[in-house]
Amino acid sequence: MNSISTNKTSNDAINIFLIGNNPIELSNIYEKLKEIKTKSYHAEIGFDLKTVYKKIMRFRPSCILIDDNLEEPYLKSLLGKLSSWSKTRDIPIAILKNSNYGESYLVGAQEFILKDGITSEALSRSILNSIRLRSMQKYLYTSYKKRQSQFLNFFSNN
């Protein structure tokens, strides 16, 4: 299991979990995280896809980055499980993409990051955007659930 820590104090660190099967491409993303000066990131990489869920639970990431080089059926299954499992569904997911071509099976991701020419600043911005988006989605969902009966009563009376 690999881990990095950037220059800032570890109290401010954002935990990022990288999932993929290509060590060269993930090491490029890993290096980009180390170059970020505005935020502190701790990163772990999961290559062994059989143990990825245990590693995620132990590491408690703020965001999960998944390389789209994984086989389509596995990537689809992984996204479905991470998006629906109670222990991971609130963790934002960003897909690291090779091309801008959109695959319809990538449901559950908050952000898509094009790997070609990505800068460390753009990577940081994408990670922070996916965390904010997931947080907003969670807030809206819980607010709706709390007030669902009010909405139903309002619409049934009109």
Side-chain angles (χ1 to χ4, degrees), residues 4-154:
I4 64 166
S5 179
T6 56
N7 304 334
K8 309 292 179 241
T9 62
S10 61
N11 295 343
D12 309 3
I14 296 173
N15 289 342
I16 306 297
F17 195 84
L18 300 161
I19 301 172
N21 59 3
N22 187 334
I24 294 171
E25 286 195 20
L26 287 184
S27 67
N28 289 337
I29 299 299
Y30 188 84
E31 290 301 316
K32 297 288 184 208
L33 287 171
K34 286 179 18 178
E35 294 171 6
I36 297 169
K37 303 296 182 208
T38 57
K39 286 280 182 189
S40 177
Y41 291 91
H42 288 296
E44 288 197 14
I45 299 176
F47 295 111
D48 179 14
L49 301 176
K50 293 177 183 174
T51 61
V52 86
Y53 299 107
K54 290 179 187 176
K55 288 179 180 180
I56 288 172
M57 294 295 51
R58 197 171 345 144
F59 185 57
R60 299 188 184 273
S62 301
C63 185
I64 298 172
L65 301 178
I66 303 174
D67 190 352
D68 76 342
N69 281 335
L70 298 172
E71 295 178 19
E72 180 183 333
Y74 179 78
L75 182 55
K76 185 177 182 177
S77 172
L78 178 65
L79 283 168
K81 288 177 184 175
L82 290 174
S83 299
S84 62
W85 192 33
S86 64
K87 296 183 179 193
T88 57
R89 70 175 158 226
D90 293 330
I91 301 172
I93 299 170
I95 304 294
L96 300 164
K97 295 188 56 145
N98 286 312
S99 73
N100 214 5
Y101 179 75
E103 290 88 2
S104 60
Y105 63 87
L106 296 176
V107 176
Q110 281 70 46
E111 185 81 19
F112 298 92
I113 304 167
L114 196 56
K115 288 185 267 188
D116 189 36
I118 185 89
T119 65
S120 58
E121 294 79 22
L123 179 60
S124 179
R125 202 170 29 256
S126 291
I127 290 169
L128 295 174
N129 283 344
S130 63
I131 291 170
R132 280 191 281 271
L133 179 60
R134 188 66 190 128
S135 176
M136 182 182 68
Q137 288 172 337
K138 183 180 173 186
Y139 171 77
L140 290 173
Y141 179 77
T142 55
S143 295
Y144 171 75
K145 281 297 191 187
K146 285 180 184 176
R147 294 170 186 88
Q148 186 174 15
S149 62
Q150 292 172 349
F151 289 128
L152 294 175
N153 289 337
F154 175 78

